Amino acid sequence: MTETSHLRILNRQHLESLDLGWDDLMDAIDDAFTQKLKGQVQNPAKPKVASRPDSFFNAMPAYLGGSDQVGLKWVSGVDSNKAEGLPYIYGSMILNDAATGRPIALLDGGWLTDIRTPAVSAAVLRALNRSVRRLAIIGAGVQARGHLAAALHTCPSIEHVTIYDRTPDKAAAVLAGAGERETHVAEGPEAAVQDADLIITTVTRALEPRLDCDTADPNAILLPVDYDDALSPRAINDSALFVVDDIDQYTNVAARGDNFGELKDPDGESAQLITRSLSLPPDGRICVMNLGLALEDVAIASLCLQRAEERNIGTLVEFP
């Protein structure tokens, strides 16, 4: 099998065996956003189709011109899967040779979504460089686990972790990852964020009522990775700084009419924040909403492929 006639398949087991560290992941994210800020990235707004009322299917292509990497993630989410014991997210990631277009790798896009989302949040926290002590997480699924690990790595000053979930046992299970820090399972979302200076929301079903965060630290960092399903408009609009990962994508989602209708215009993009080219307010709440960009997936998938090739990990098949 020649180098120009094979496709490397990396399933979840292969990808987990790469043992990528948070610093490696954050560096890949930083590089991708730096390229975006330089105008070297093509990342069109992701189109969406839905096969069921509780589902979404997104196509997410991107080209990173600075590193000459190109790929597409096809990702789905079906809320009713949880009742069937199935993953909420499924996905497939294809990487191509940018010069010839030849497909070179197929990766588990579900794993990629699981890991790149907290990696982006970690990159944001590293750039903000704030000393935080009290972390509150709303929701206790896969993203809660990933974000807990990422936050503890990036913010070692965290002393206390509180989690709220509709199922308290799930919250307790995630808290096991907090080590020797003080932990608490909250009885409600507002109780969870009391005095918190880092709030991460990871729900898959909208909270009612949504969180105002009135009892949180006035200088809290808000990281909603669930759009505005958990945070109220007031929680976001009262922020001294409101940043999204891509204003065009944010506007595209808002135009659909289901999200962001009452929110103020963003003050900037994550690329400006991560590259430290955006002025930060001296005090006040900071809200960073990362909707998920294909450039992140291409960057992390390319890192995975590089490591897999170095270690001869994965399954090679003749293709085409």
Side-chain angles (χ1 to χ4, degrees):
M1 196 179 301
T2 67
E3 185 66 25
T4 57
S5 66
H6 73 255
L7 178 79
R8 188 177 297 268
I9 298 176
L10 298 170
N11 63 19
R12 182 173 289 263
Q13 183 178 2
H14 294 142
L15 293 165
E16 289 175 346
S17 72
L18 297 175
D19 292 326
L20 295 173
W22 288 113
D23 290 331
D24 292 331
L25 294 166
M26 287 188 285
D27 288 346
I29 294 298
D30 283 2
D31 179 66
F33 274 109
T34 298
Q35 292 182 53
K36 184 178 190 296
L37 200 63
K38 292 179 178 179
Q40 298 174 322
V41 171
Q42 299 173 41
N43 195 120
K46 51 191 173 188
K48 171 188 173 182
V49 296
S51 62
R52 303 289 188 277
D54 68 340
S55 73
F56 71 84
F57 293 77
N58 289 335
M60 301 177 63
Y63 171 60
L64 280 60
S67 51
D68 205 26
Q69 298 163 339
V70 64
L72 166 74
K73 186 172 76 171
W74 176 239
V75 60
S76 64
V78 180
D79 191 55
S80 58
N81 280 0
K82 292 177 288 185
E84 303 296 328
L86 299 172
Y88 170 59
I89 294 289
Y90 284 106
S92 303
M93 181 77 200
I94 184 77
L95 290 175
N96 298 76
D97 180 276
T100 66
R102 181 178 65 86
I104 54 177
L106 176 66
L107 297 82
D108 182 334
W111 179 91
L112 192 63
T113 301
D114 294 348
I115 200 70
R116 68 90 156 122
T117 309
V120 175
S121 294
V124 166
L125 291 172
R126 183 166 70 173
L128 290 174
N129 194 30
R130 282 191 175 185
S131 177
V132 299
R133 295 178 51 251
R134 300 181 68 88
L135 165 63
I137 300 177
I138 308 301
V142 171
Q143 285 302 323
R145 291 181 184 275
H147 275 81
L148 175 60
L152 295 180
H153 175 84
T154 315
C155 303
S157 57
I158 292 172
E159 300 172 355
H160 187 280
V161 182
T162 300
I163 297 183
Y164 166 75
D165 189 86
R166 293 181 176 92
T167 306
D169 287 347
K170 291 183 179 179
V174 174
L175 282 172
E180 297 181 358
R181 295 166 182 82
E182 184 179 354
T183 61
H184 178 65
V185 175
E187 295 182 358
E190 285 289 354
V193 303
Q194 184 171 352
D195 299 325
D197 48 8
L198 173 56
I199 299 170
I200 303 173
T201 65
T202 68
V203 302
T204 58
R205 188 173 62 195
L207 287 181
E208 290 297 342
R210 300 183 189 186
L211 277 166
D212 290 329
C213 299
D214 289 340
T215 62
D217 188 289
N219 297 317
I221 299 169
L222 310 182
L223 297 180
V225 297
D226 45 23
Y227 288 27
D228 55 352
D229 282 346
L231 298 182
S232 72
R234 183 154 63 87
I236 296 171
N237 292 340
D238 286 351
S239 299
L241 183 70
F242 174 40
V243 174
V244 298
D245 52 7
D246 185 88
I247 290 177
D248 287 344
Q249 176 168 262
Y250 174 86
T251 302
N252 183 63
V253 173
R256 298 173 185 166
D258 297 326
N259 299 91
F260 315 144
E262 301 177 59
L263 300 187
K264 64 180 182 180
D265 291 336
D267 299 305
E269 295 189 342
S270 299
Q272 298 169 283
L273 186 65
I274 288 174
T275 59
R276 298 166 178 81
S277 58
L278 183 68
S279 296
L280 301 180
D283 51 42
R285 183 179 296 164
I286 293 177
C287 179
V288 183
M289 182 184 293
N290 291 303
L291 309 182
L293 295 177
L295 67 91
E296 304 156 4
D297 297 300
V298 172
I300 298 298
S302 297
L303 173 62
C304 291
L305 177 58
Q306 176 188 344
R307 294 291 176 85
E309 289 175 339
E310 292 171 353
R311 304 178 189 181
N312 195 28
I313 290 173
T315 302
L316 299 182
V317 297
E318 290 278 358
F319 190 89

